[in-house]
Amino acid sequence: EVQLQASGGGLVQAGGSLRLSCTASGSNLDAYVIAWFRQAPGTEREAVSGISNIDGSTYYQDSVKGRFTISSDNAKNTVYLQMNSLKPEDTAVYYCAAELWMGSWSQLSYGMEYWGKGTQVTVSS
């Protein structure tokens, strides 16, 4: 059983930055992928970024490439999402999620096994 705790959301002006944190506990996460998803009102939840604890490979949704950076601190069991140059369209509830790494980022499309509670990110124009 994996427990995930997301934090770091807030209100920021367009062009600003936020860093989200996802701290995991409960199991050895060496073979897991940790991913960030977001859901804006009236939209479906979408995968934003992910990182594999096995090989360190990363995934970014096209709309955040060059602005967001995902990283992990294995000693702290924490994954970070550094979000720069934020835009109003980045406004959403952000969730972190985890499951065993299957070797393909397509697994993010099929749901994740473990989810944390969301953290609200609001970007004002």
Side-chain angles (χ1 to χ4, degrees):
E1 184 76 19
V2 175
Q3 293 84 42
L4 302 170
Q5 179 67 49
S7 62
L11 172 63
V12 65
Q13 289 187 332
S17 299
L18 284 173
R19 189 178 77 159
L20 304 183
S21 300
C22 176
T23 300
S25 62
S27 293
N28 185 314
L29 299 176
D30 289 351
Y32 278 69
V33 56
I34 312 294
W36 288 96
F37 292 75
R38 67 185 180 188
Q39 187 169 20
T43 70
E44 293 187 356
R45 187 162 52 192
E46 60 181 4
V48 176
S49 182
I51 186 165
S52 165
N53 281 346
I54 290 181
D55 59 13
S57 61
T58 57
Y59 162 85
Y60 296 97
Q61 183 194 97
D62 284 347
S63 69
V64 307
K65 286 180 180 178
R67 299 189 298 123
F68 291 9
T69 303
I70 193 168
S71 61
S72 64
D73 184 336
N74 291 336
K76 296 181 178 180
N77 274 348
T78 299
V79 169
Y80 303 100
L81 186 67
Q82 178 67 42
M83 305 186 296
N84 298 329
S85 302
L86 282 162
K87 304 175 181 180
E89 50 264 45
D90 294 317
T91 295
V93 178
Y94 283 69
Y95 301 87
C96 63
E99 69 175 9
L100 288 171
W101 175 234
M102 304 296 185
S104 169
W105 292 112
S106 63
Q107 75 181 90
L108 300 187
S109 301
Y110 301 112
M112 302 285 281
E113 185 171 6
Y114 302 105
W115 291 86
K117 293 182 180 179
T119 184
Q120 176 71 46
V121 172
T122 303
V123 184
S124 63
S125 57

